[in-house]
Amino acid sequence: MNIYPDLFLTFAKVGVMTFGGGYAMLPILQREVVENKGWATEEELTDYFAIGQCTPGIIAVNTATFIGQKNKGVLGGIIATLGLVFPSLVIISLLAGVIEAFSHLAWVGHAFGGIRVCVCVLILNAVVKLYKKACIDPATFAIFLIVTLGSFFTSLSPVIFVLAAAVAGIALKNLGVRK
C-alpha cells in the first residue's frame, strides 16, 4: 500500500477512536505505530511523547507529525497530522450545531461523566506502559521519582522537567552510572 494513504488512514483511525484529548490517544498510538505498523520503536515513541510534551500543541498531534516526518519527510508529517485531526474536525463540526440543544439533558451529562472516567483509565494504561519501558534501572527510577515528586509539589513547566531529566540522563551516562 502507498505509505501516504496508509499514514492518513492509520492516524485518522487513531483520531476517530479517541475521546479525551492528546493523552487519551497515547495507548492507541502505541498499538498502531509500534505494534501494528512498526513505524517506530517503543523507545522512539517515548522520545516523541517527551518532545511532543514540551513543544507547542497537542502531544498526539506533535507525535503524529514526528512519525510521519520520520517515515516520509515533511509531506509525511503533514499527512499524518491531517489524518489525526480530520475525524475531530468532522465530528466537532457536526456536534457544534446540536450540542446546545441536548446539553441540558441529564443523560448527556452522565454520558460525559462516564467518558471522563474511561479517559482517565486510558491515560493510566499509557503511563504504566511507558513506565515499564522507561524505568529500566535504579538511575532511571530515581529520575522518574524526582520528576514525579517535583511535578506534584511545584508548578514548574513540564519543559523544565524534560530538560532536567535529559541533563540527568547525560550526566549519569558520563559518570558511568548508566550503560
Side-chain angles (χ1 to χ4, degrees):
M1 180 177 195
N2 186 340
I3 186 75
Y4 294 115
D6 198 20
L7 278 168
F8 184 88
L9 292 173
T10 298
F11 283 101
K13 180 176 158 183
V14 171
V16 80
M17 293 187 332
T18 307
F19 295 89
Y23 290 109
M25 291 181 182
L26 300 185
I28 300 169
L29 274 170
Q30 187 276 336
R31 185 186 67 232
E32 290 298 320
V33 170
V34 175
E35 296 172 16
N36 293 349
K37 298 295 181 177
W39 289 337
T41 65
E42 290 279 354
E43 292 77 20
E44 287 174 325
L45 191 62
T46 301
D47 292 343
Y48 295 151
F49 290 162
I51 296 167
Q53 176 64 41
C54 60
T55 54
I58 300 167
I59 189 172
V61 172
N62 294 345
T63 301
T65 306
F66 295 144
I67 292 166
Q69 192 278 331
K70 175 193 174 219
N71 286 282
K72 282 310 265 183
V74 173
L75 183 57
I78 292 168
I79 289 173
T81 303
L82 290 175
L84 187 77
V85 300
F86 181 74
S88 297
L89 290 174
V90 171
I91 292 167
I92 289 169
S93 296
L94 295 172
L95 288 177
V98 297
I99 194 84
E100 286 297 317
F102 297 104
S103 64
H104 68 284
L105 299 174
W107 66 268
V108 172
H110 296 306
F112 281 119
I115 290 170
R116 282 191 295 272
V117 170
C118 180
V119 168
C120 289
V121 172
L122 292 174
I123 293 170
L124 179 62
N125 285 337
V127 168
V128 169
K129 280 186 178 182
L130 290 171
Y131 171 83
K132 288 178 181 178
K133 295 290 182 182
C135 291
I136 55 175
D137 57 26
T140 53
F141 179 75
I143 293 170
F144 168 81
L145 193 59
I146 292 166
V147 170
T148 300
L149 293 172
S151 67
F152 284 145
F153 297 113
T154 70
S155 60
L156 294 174
S157 167
V159 175
I160 293 171
F161 289 118
V162 171
L163 294 174
V167 169
I170 293 167
L172 291 171
K173 169 68 173 154
N174 289 334
L175 293 172
V177 175
R178 295 203 65 226
K179 294 180 174 150

